[in-house]
Amino acid sequence: MFWHYDGTAWTKQDGAAAPDGETRWPSYTLYDLAPADDAGSFWAVGDYATPIDRYGDIAVHGLIERSTPSPAN
């Protein structure tokens, strides 16, 4: 989930879910944000973990997501 500020108010936007991510408590760690355009979109980079496998291992994967501007009211 992303929070978008349009200069007046904050709105909540759902981000894309990683298809192989942990579903019991989905968690993404974002390390940095960068503007993507002049419309308010941005890039977010970080990582997420997959569920524990049968050997007790957890894999961590890179994550890059791009937000979209909030729709006009």
Side-chain angles (χ1 to χ4, degrees):
M1 169 189 338
F2 295 107
W3 286 93
H4 180 266
Y5 185 69
D6 65 7
T8 305
W10 289 95
T11 54
K12 184 170 45 170
Q13 285 183 295
D14 290 332
D20 59 348
E22 175 61 73
T23 57
R24 290 176 295 163
W25 47 81
S27 179
Y28 306 108
T29 302
L30 300 177
Y31 298 107
D32 208 352
L33 300 173
D37 57 33
D38 292 336
S41 296
F42 59 88
W43 290 100
V45 295
D47 60 37
Y48 69 96
T50 54
I52 297 173
D53 66 15
R54 63 185 176 152
Y55 304 107
D57 295 325
I58 297 174
V60 177
H61 304 277
L63 175 71
I64 300 174
E65 289 209 9
R66 184 171 190 248
S67 73
T68 56
S70 293
N73 293 331

